[in-house]
């Protein structure tokens, strides 16, 4: 595993003079998150947390199975973005996604460090430009699934909870910003990256970045993206459907955890918890595993919903245990990919964009 992690670090690191400075900032943020996490544990009601986690033990297997189902649905959401001739057989794509997701969790790279890893692990049997295009498209549909959950949760909060006067305008602004960002993200993919890079390369202040060297690769990527959006829009819609279904599974996983903690909550409360969790997790993506902010965010959400901060911390720790298990499985799969011979590319995939 240490060798595999070192190779993953080399893949996800960005070259350049600013790399060491960026890494130092991320290490400081990780240290701050660890201190916040330690302080929350120190001041928490240890007896209450221990009792809650003891209850989780009886439900741990169903909770983990729900997490695997979430990942499986997200894998299907990625699979359908690939051309039919290039779709891997069996569970290989599921293993690749788990490996890449684990890299996302352990590297301070805006939770995107594992995305190029996914494309590279897929590259032996799928052209790199095709694999990278599918990763980008799947990430887009994943974000749309998140946006749908956030919007549903915000609407329920505004309707069912007595929020401060500024909450409604803030929710409206969040909705507009979120939907606008997703719209332009998908629009950029449909229009292509090469025209944007060509325009940027013509700006005198940006000529030193040597964007022109990236244009050729972007043109290949654009061909693959246009093939998806132009010829197979139904596959992208299906990808969104799989990611929405994954979000529904996460709601029922929340229901399981709350039941294990002895909390009687309905589906509506679980949707609000999921929506608020996604929203609060967005600013913490620069910290590996969102250490500290993940736990603090859940405590804030549960306090706002009237469940109490202790239940929020117990819920966060239960999620953290599942996350550690999934990361361990993903890293083991990543290590296995380093020693396992890659499958040969199918002849019909060679001619795909």
């Amino acid at each position: 595993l240490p060798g595999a992690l070192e190779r993953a670090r080399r893949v996800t690191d960005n070259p350049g003079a600013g790399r060491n400075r960026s890494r130092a900032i991320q290490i400081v943020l990780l240290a701050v998150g660890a201190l916040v996490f330690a302080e929350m544990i120190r001041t928490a009601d240890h007896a209450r947390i221990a009792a809650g986690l003891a209850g989780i033990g009886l439900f741990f297997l169903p909770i983990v199975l729900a997490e695997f189902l979430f990942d499986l649905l997200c894998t299907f959401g990625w699979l359908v973005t690939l051309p039919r001739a290039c779709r891997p057989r069996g569970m290989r794509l599921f293993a690749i996604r788990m490996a890449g997701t684990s890299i996302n969790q352990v590297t301070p790279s805006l939770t995107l460090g594992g995305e190029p890893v996914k494309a590279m692990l897929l590259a032996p049997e799928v052209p790199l430009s095709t694999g990278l295009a599918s990763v980008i498209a799947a990430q887009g549909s994943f974000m749309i699934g998140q946006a749908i959950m956030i919007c549903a949760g915000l609407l329920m909060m505004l309707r069912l909870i007595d929020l401060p006067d500024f909450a409604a305008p803030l929710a409206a602004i969040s909705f507009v910003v979120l939907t606008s960002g997703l719209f332009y993200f998908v629009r950029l993919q449909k229009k292509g990256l090469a025209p944007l890079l060509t325009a940027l390369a013509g700006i005198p202040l940006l000529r030193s970045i040597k964007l022109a060297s990236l244009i050729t690769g972007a043109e290949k990527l654009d061909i693959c993206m246009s093939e998806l959006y132009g010829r197979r829009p139904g596959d992208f819609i299906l990808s969104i459907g799989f990611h929405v279904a994954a979000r529904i599974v996460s709601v029922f996983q929340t229901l399981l955890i709350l039941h294990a903690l002895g909390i009687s909550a309905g589906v509506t409360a679980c949707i609000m918890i999921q929506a608020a969790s996604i929203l609060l997790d967005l600013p913490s993506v620069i910290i590996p595993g969102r250490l500290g902010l993940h736990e603090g965010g859940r405590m804030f959400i549960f306090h706002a919903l009237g469940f109490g901060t202790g239940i929020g911390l117990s819920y966060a720790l239960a999620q953290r245990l599942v996350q550690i298990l999934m990361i361990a499985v993903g890293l083991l799969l990543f290590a296995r990919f380093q020693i396992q011979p890659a499958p040969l590319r199918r002849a019909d995939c060679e001619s795909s964009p």
Side-chain angles (χ1 to χ4, degrees), residues 24-225:
I25 292 172
Q26 291 163 343
I27 290 173
V28 170
L29 291 173
L30 177 60
V32 171
L35 289 174
V36 171
F37 177 73
E39 179 63 17
M40 285 188 292
I41 294 296
R42 188 185 70 83
T43 58
D45 184 346
H46 297 158
R48 181 69 181 269
I49 291 176
L53 293 180
I56 287 290
L58 300 175
F59 289 87
F60 191 66
L61 180 58
I63 292 169
V64 170
L65 290 177
E67 189 70 20
F68 274 105
L69 181 57
F70 175 90
D71 284 333
L72 184 62
L73 288 168
C74 289
T75 301
F76 284 125
W78 178 19
L79 179 69
V80 296
T81 63
L82 285 163
R84 288 172 176 78
C86 297
R87 294 175 183 176
R89 298 185 177 95
M91 297 295 287
R92 179 173 169 80
L93 196 68
F94 177 72
I96 290 174
R97 187 185 183 281
M98 287 202 65
T101 301
S102 68
I103 300 300
N104 276 340
Q105 296 294 332
V106 298
T107 55
S109 51
L110 300 176
T111 68
L112 295 175
E115 304 310 301
V117 171
K118 294 176 186 177
M120 293 185 70
L121 292 175
L122 193 59
E125 53 185 324
V126 174
L128 184 59
S129 56
T130 301
L132 190 56
S134 73
V135 168
I136 294 172
Q139 186 66 23
S141 65
F142 179 85
M143 291 167 63
I144 291 173
Q146 284 185 320
I148 292 172
M149 178 62 71
I150 290 172
C151 292
L154 287 177
L155 289 174
M156 291 177 182
M157 287 180 193
L158 292 174
R159 185 178 178 183
L160 301 175
I161 299 177
D162 186 16
L163 297 172
D165 293 338
F166 64 83
L170 185 61
I173 292 171
S174 301
F175 174 78
V176 171
V177 171
L178 189 64
T179 53
S180 299
L182 286 172
F183 172 77
Y184 283 108
F185 179 73
V186 175
R187 185 170 179 266
L188 177 62
Q189 293 179 51
K190 294 180 71 173
K191 290 188 67 176
L193 297 174
L196 176 63
L197 291 175
T198 301
L200 292 175
I203 299 175
L205 292 175
L206 298 178
R207 285 176 183 168
S208 60
I209 303 179
K210 299 180 181 180
L211 293 173
S213 61
L214 301 175
I215 293 176
T216 302
E219 288 173 344
K220 295 179 181 179
L221 186 64
D222 290 344
I223 292 173
C224 299
M225 299 300 296

Side-chain angles (χ1 to χ4, degrees), residues 208-271:
S208 60
I209 303 179
K210 299 180 181 180
L211 293 173
S213 61
L214 301 175
I215 293 176
T216 302
E219 288 173 344
K220 295 179 181 179
L221 186 64
D222 290 344
I223 292 173
C224 299
M225 299 300 296
S226 63
E227 189 273 336
L228 172 62
Y229 291 114
R231 300 179 188 176
R232 299 186 291 115
D235 285 347
F236 184 69
I237 294 173
L238 183 59
S239 176
I240 295 173
F242 278 121
H243 285 115
V244 171
R247 286 293 154 194
I248 294 172
V249 169
S250 69
V251 169
F252 284 96
Q253 184 192 50
T254 297
L255 197 63
L256 269 175
I257 296 175
L258 292 180
H259 184 70
L261 293 173
I263 301 299
S264 178
V267 173
T268 300
C270 294
I271 291 174

Side-chain angles (χ1 to χ4, degrees), residues 287-300:
I287 302 175
R290 299 182 173 94
L291 184 63
L293 291 182
H294 169 87
E295 289 75 15
R298 273 46 177 188
M299 291 172 71
F300 173 79

